[in-house]
Structure formats: structure tokens, C-alpha cells
Amino acid sequence: MPPRELESVARSLVAEGKGILAADESSPTIEKRFKGIGLASTEENRRAYRELLFTTLGVSEFISGVILFDETIRQNAKDGTPFPQVLAKQGIVPGIKVDTGAKPLPWFPEEKITEGLDGLRERLSEYRKMGARFAKWRAVIAIGDGIPTACCLKGNAHALARYAALCQEADLVPIVEPEVLMDGPHAIERCEEVTTAALTLVFSELLEHRVALEGTLLKPNMVLSGKECPKQANAAEVAGATVRTLRRTVPSAVPGIVFLSGGQSPEQATLNLSAMNALGRHPWELSFSYGRALQDPVLKAWKGAPANVPAAQRAFYHRSRCNSAARFGKYTKEMEVTAA
Ligand code: 13P
């Protein structure tokens, strides 16, 4: 794909009022999510759950793209239509997670390096033929005593750039995800410092690898207080610190920034995004690529029972609509009450 087409796919993923559903839970992760509702993680349960999400009427008004897992991109709806086509028919762009997971970084206890570069060129070409138009790779950065180390930051940034270059070669828009975790007792200032360091290295590597930023999306964490920090920053503080960090590190050639939710409650993730967009215009679109923050209420409503599918789809529609409002800085807590 010429760079201009990559750019147009990237721009469509952050179209006005729209964001991405991350439904690319790996097998161990979806097993954990299903355990939370007392459901066995069988292939049919995973398929039925994804069908529920992908066939929710009307969500294409709010959802521009969906990130799939390797198993899911090969599955079909009940009527035999492959999932990538189920999405594409509604104008939703299919995407694919292509890393093979964050593994322990040898000699650096508590730190991880994301794997998946070997054979990636061939896998990307297969996914492109199956209908994927964008991809995702997640690096994980933990905050703690003496960490992250320079080795962890550099190794992950380098792998992200290698992945992004291979994606563009294969006509796929790379979503570059360096996630600074919210676990720990650190203050928001420490999260800002680490996020600044991580993003600075990532963009330096992307440029070195000749990645076209116009055809790339960034998926970062928000700048937050650590989960166990006694003083929790409010939405205005999170929005201020996050936008400041991004302005300092993310070139304006990047069309959009799609946040991960990272363990925030669904309402908090929506509120924080809305607060950022309410600050005014930014050099890039500020949007969402949420997993848990879009899906937690859906899983709770569904519980694996076919009779609960309509209620689960209503929950998905509602959270998608709230996050769409947050794209305009117009989400209010009253939206939750009127839907309840
Ligand atoms: P969360 O929004 O649940 O953090 O998931 C987003 C994601 O895709 C992580 O890789």
C-alpha cells in the first residue's frame, strides 16, 4: 500500500467520534476474563462471545476498528461468515494482534520484553490476505525500585520499531503500544517521567527504522497515579499530565493516539478521555482502543447465557456511545444514569 493509503486507514481508525475495540485477548487472558463470570474458556464460548460483540446493532457509529486474536480472525459467525467480513460489512476495520507476548527479560527481574519478530513478515502477509488492515504489538513497562531499566526501555522500543516497519512493508497500519503499567504505589509524577522516557525512545527508534509516522497510530497508557498510591489524581490532573507528556514526545505527523484502559474502571477511562478532549484541539486525534473498559460490563451482563445476549449487547452499545461522547469532550456521568 502506498504511504497515502496507510495514512487513510490510520485516519479512518480515528475518525470523528469513533474509536477501537480491543478484542484480542490471548487464550490465557480470555480464560481469566471468563473465569470472572464462572464460564469455561471453550472455543465455542470464545466464538459466541466475539459474535455477540461484532454483531451489536448500531455500534459502527462509535467503533471504527476491532483488534482480533489469531484464533478469532479464523473464526466465523453462526451463519458461516468469517469474522473479518462480519466487521468489514459494517464499515468496521479488522485488525490483528501480532506479538506473541511479553516474556521475562533475562537478568532483569520484574522486567519484560515482547517477543514475536521471528517469522513476522510471513504472518503479516497471511493476515493481510485474511482482511486485516492494521496490527497491534504491546510492550510492557513496569514501574518499581530501580525499574524500568534503560535495557528494558531500549529493547522494547527497538522491537516496536522493527514490528512497525514490517507492518508498513506488508500494507498494514501498525499500532505501537508501549504500556507503562499502573501497578504500584508511585505518584503520578513518576508515571509521567517513565512515560516520557518510553515515548521518547519509541519515536527515536521509529524514525531510525524509517517508519512513516503518518501511517502509524500510538496506543499509550494515560499518565495516572499508581494503583496503590494513597493520593489518586483526578480526571483534570490526569488529562493535564497526559496531554503535556504527549505534546513533549509525540510528533504531530502521527494522526491519532488511541489509549489503552489498563485496569481503570470503565467510567474512569471514559471520564479521563473526555477531560483530555475538553481541553481543546490537539495536534493528533485523542481516542480509545479499550479492552476491559469496553468489555467488563458486557461480560457481567452476558455470563455465557444465550438469553442474556440482548442485555450484553445493550451494555456494549452503551459503553461505546459514552466513549464516543468522550471523543468530543462531552461525556457526563448523567449518561450512565439515563442508561441504567
Ligand atoms: P485494556 O484496555 O484492557 O488495557 O486492553 C487494551 C489492550 O489492547 C492491551 O493490549
Side-chain angles (χ1 to χ4, degrees), residues 23-93:
D24 60 327
E25 295 84 2
S26 61
S27 303
T29 304
I30 197 73
E31 185 171 359
K32 198 159 74 184
R33 304 276 185 267
F34 279 6
K35 215 174 183 171
I37 54 165
L39 186 68
S41 182
T42 61
E43 188 187 344
E44 174 49 25
N45 283 342
R46 294 191 293 271
R47 195 207 61 76
Y49 175 58
R50 266 64 180 251
E51 176 159 4
L52 171 175
L53 291 171
F54 305 161
T55 59
T56 298
L57 276 181
V59 286
S60 60
E61 194 184 337
F62 315 122
I63 299 294
S64 55
V66 174
I67 315 174
L68 304 168
F69 181 56
D70 180 75
E71 176 186 82
T72 323
I73 200 171
R74 302 169 194 280
Q75 286 175 322
N76 302 330
K78 264 254 154 356
D79 69 3
T81 315
F83 279 147
Q85 281 180 38
V86 170
L87 295 168
K89 274 188 194 158
Q90 303 168 71
I92 298 177
V93 185

Side-chain angles (χ1 to χ4, degrees), residues 22 24 136 138 177 219 260-262 289-292:
D24 60 327
K136 185 196 97 170
R138 171 176 177 253
E177 180 180 7
K219 176 162 174 169
L260 59 96
S261 60
S289 172
Y290 293 159
R292 284 163 286 179

Side-chain angles (χ1 to χ4, degrees), residues 217-237:
L217 295 176
L218 175 70
K219 176 162 174 169
N221 52 286
M222 294 181 191
V223 175
L224 303 168
S225 316
K227 227 189 289 177
E228 290 88 45
C229 178
K231 186 183 171 297
Q232 289 292 311
N234 62 31
E237 291 163 336

Side-chain angles (χ1 to χ4, degrees), residues 51-280:
E51 176 159 4
L52 171 175
L53 291 171
F54 305 161
T55 59
T56 298
L57 276 181
V59 286
S60 60
E61 194 184 337
F62 315 122
I63 299 294
S64 55
V66 174
I67 315 174
L68 304 168
F69 181 56
D70 180 75
E71 176 186 82
T72 323
I73 200 171
R74 302 169 194 280
Q75 286 175 322
N76 302 330
K78 264 254 154 356
D79 69 3
T81 315
F83 279 147
Q85 281 180 38
V86 170
L87 295 168
K89 274 188 194 158
Q90 303 168 71
I92 298 177
V93 185
I96 181 78
K97 181 228 295 294
V98 302
D99 66 71
T100 56
K103 307 286 162 61
L105 182 63
W107 308 116
F108 291 83
E110 316 296 327
E111 294 198 286
K112 293 193 163 156
I113 182 80
T114 300
E115 295 187 349
L117 288 171
D118 286 359
L120 182 57
R121 177 176 272 131
E122 291 72 26
R123 288 194 292 126
L124 293 176
S125 146
E126 186 193 7
Y127 290 139
R128 180 67 174 78
K129 287 191 195 112
M130 294 172 92
R133 290 293 174 271
F134 71 101
K136 185 196 97 170
W137 176 292
R138 171 176 177 253
V140 180
I141 294 143
I143 297 182
D145 271 351
I147 65 169
T149 61
C151 179
C152 169
L153 290 173
K154 274 199 274 186
N156 277 298
H158 186 263
L160 277 166
R162 289 264 289 113
Y163 139 83
L166 282 162
C167 281
Q168 293 193 332
E169 181 195 71
D171 298 341
L172 290 160
V173 169
I175 295 190
V176 171
E177 180 180 7
E179 175 176 6
V180 177
L181 297 175
M182 62 189 288
D183 303 324
H186 55 271
I188 187 170
E189 290 79 9
R190 176 90 176 113
C191 179
E192 178 165 347
E193 180 182 274
V194 172
T195 305
T196 302
L199 294 178
T200 302
L201 274 176
V202 164
F203 282 99
S204 156
E205 290 286 344
L206 288 173
L207 288 178
E208 200 164 322
H209 283 77
R210 304 185 176 170
V211 171
L213 297 184
E214 293 78 4
T216 303
L217 295 176
L218 175 70
K219 176 162 174 169
N221 52 286
M222 294 181 191
V223 175
L224 303 168
S225 316
K227 227 189 289 177
E228 290 88 45
C229 178
K231 186 183 171 297
Q232 289 292 311
N234 62 31
E237 291 163 336
V238 168
T242 305
V243 168
R244 177 171 61 230
T245 302
L246 296 171
R247 291 187 79 98
R248 287 175 175 172
T249 53
V250 185
S252 55
V254 173
I257 295 174
V258 293
F259 292 100
L260 59 96
S261 60
Q264 301 179 68
S265 74
E267 290 78 13
Q268 200 62 50
T270 311
L271 195 63
N272 288 341
L273 177 64
S274 196
M276 284 183 237
N277 279 311
L279 289 175

